Amino acid sequence: MSALSRLIWHHAYRYLTVLLLMLTCTLAQAHESSTAYLNLALEESDSTTDTIYDATYELSLRDLALLIDIDANSDNQVSWAEVTSQTPLIEQLIISKVTLAHAAQACQVARFAPLAINTRGGFNYLYTRFSLNCDQPIDSLDYQILAGIDANHRLILTQANTDTPLQVLTVGQNPLGTEADSGWMAIATNFLKSGIHHLLIGLDHLLFLFVLLIPAVYIRQQKQLVAVSNPKAALIEVFWIATSFTLAHSITLSLAALQIVSIPARFIESVIALSIAFAALNNLVPMLRVRAVYLAFFFGLIHGFGFANVLVDLPLATSARVLALLSFNIGIELGQLVFIAVVFPIALLLRHTQFYKWGVFYIGSLIGILVALWWFFERAF
């Protein structure tokens, strides 16, 4: 073996080892849709100096529980009385973590309305309404809810009575759209980026792709794993896996995002976890004598409903929803290609080694089963 080959293999070993360690660290990172909603509407004002906004902010109770103790008696059942008892802390949380501003001059919260509850996608959401006094129309949002806690969390911002489009924002400092960047192009760009981001941070979708990809460099001969001799054959198999998964999730993503079919998010997220466990178990103990491409299609139908959680509750007209759907789906495919481009060449390079066979295929599949089952019990119960 040449010095260059040893160097390449050494770095490949290190990369895949780190990847497997990252998978074991996902036990507490079960991917469910973590989304908050902020709507702003300009109010009529007699003042010539202030700009007043009527704001509504919705945060799921499961996310709120990560920030404030809303289960005072620790019985794992959150009552509305327990939530409202924390009203001062909830109001302070919003004031400190959701900062709207103009030219770095923060708006001031004038008053809060009584708390309420709303339901989205089968989950209970805290509904808060408050007024904001600003010196000028806002141009930025510093959003720090779940900062350092949930990398998947995002905020859907809408501004009524303005030309600014709906925006999908992440934790941190966000410039707000202006009339110059509104319209169809802004929607397409926004949801293209959202699709890429959603795939690359969606640990369950990535883990599913991982357990489907790692057997692609093997064939089974007399119940034994044999590395493919022709890399082209493995590449074709990966192409069909990716195509099948794309076709399947595009179908159900479209049905759900266009609100033709509706399935509770908690059920879908639980079944997604089971699909990962089954695919990983099928690597170790082949139960279905079918190619991975068929598993990718069947389970891709389920994952499509999971992707759709991003779009289902968005306040968009039909034409804008179709554009958002198309852009978001393209973003998902780009994110998927990035993941495959990183993982598959390494798998192809190491397919003849015992490290890949035992450390990646067998142990990686076992880790996939354990992680997926953990996600299932966390989501279902």
Side-chain angles (χ1 to χ4, degrees), residues 105-166:
Q105 183 64 40
C107 300
Q108 301 299 314
V109 176
R111 64 185 182 277
F112 278 91
L115 299 179
I117 194 168
N118 192 14
T119 301
R120 290 179 178 269
F123 295 102
N124 290 327
Y125 273 71
L126 177 76
Y127 180 93
T128 60
R129 185 173 182 177
F130 52 95
S131 294
L132 288 168
N133 288 342
C134 309
D135 291 337
Q136 297 288 336
I138 56 175
D139 60 13
S140 67
L141 167 62
D142 186 11
Y143 186 70
Q144 296 296 330
I145 295 290
L146 294 179
I149 298 175
D150 185 357
N152 295 342
H153 184 68
R154 69 198 182 115
L155 177 72
I156 304 297
L157 172 68
T158 53
Q159 297 188 61
N161 306 320
T162 72
D163 294 322
T164 305
L166 174 148

Side-chain angles (χ1 to χ4, degrees), residues 86-290:
Q86 299 288 12
T87 295
L89 284 178
I90 292 171
E91 292 179 355
Q92 184 57 43
L93 175 73
I94 295 173
I95 292 172
S96 62
K97 301 295 185 180
V98 184
T99 307
L100 291 145
H102 173 82
Q105 183 64 40
C107 300
Q108 301 299 314
V109 176
R111 64 185 182 277
F112 278 91
L115 299 179
I117 194 168
N118 192 14
T119 301
R120 290 179 178 269
F123 295 102
N124 290 327
Y125 273 71
L126 177 76
Y127 180 93
T128 60
R129 185 173 182 177
F130 52 95
S131 294
L132 288 168
N133 288 342
C134 309
D135 291 337
Q136 297 288 336
I138 56 175
D139 60 13
S140 67
L141 167 62
D142 186 11
Y143 186 70
Q144 296 296 330
I145 295 290
L146 294 179
I149 298 175
D150 185 357
N152 295 342
H153 184 68
R154 69 198 182 115
L155 177 72
I156 304 297
L157 172 68
T158 53
Q159 297 188 61
N161 306 320
T162 72
D163 294 322
T164 305
L166 174 148
Q167 291 181 269
V168 182
L169 307 176
T170 56
V171 173
Q173 187 74 32
N174 295 276
L176 301 186
T178 63
E179 188 172 343
D181 61 16
S182 64
W184 300 108
M185 185 57 68
I187 292 176
T189 302
N190 205 333
F191 283 94
L192 178 70
K193 294 178 181 178
S194 182
I196 296 172
H197 180 257
H198 187 76
L199 190 283
L200 293 181
I201 66 167
L203 297 175
D204 47 5
H205 303 303
L206 292 181
L207 184 56
F208 180 68
L209 286 173
F210 178 79
V211 298
L212 287 181
L213 287 175
I214 55 177
V217 294
Y218 286 135
I219 57 174
R220 291 187 182 272
Q221 293 182 349
Q222 298 179 346
K223 298 183 179 181
Q224 298 296 317
L225 292 175
V226 179
V228 295
S229 57
N230 183 4
K232 183 179 178 181
L235 182 60
I236 292 174
E237 178 71 3
V238 168
F239 169 80
W240 284 116
I241 289 173
T243 301
S244 180
F245 186 62
T246 296
L247 177 62
H249 75 63
S250 296
I251 293 171
T252 48
L253 170 59
S254 300
L255 291 174
L258 296 177
Q259 300 178 328
I260 298 172
V261 177
S262 178
I263 300 178
R266 185 179 296 277
F267 174 78
I268 287 298
E269 297 290 349
S270 300
V271 176
I272 285 175
L274 286 181
S275 75
I276 300 167
F278 182 87
L281 180 61
N282 198 60
N283 286 348
L284 302 179
V285 185
M287 296 168 287
L288 297 179
R289 300 289 182 174
V290 296

Side-chain angles (χ1 to χ4, degrees), residues 79-90:
S79 68
W80 185 237
E82 288 176 314
V83 174
T84 55
S85 69
Q86 299 288 12
T87 295
L89 284 178
I90 292 171

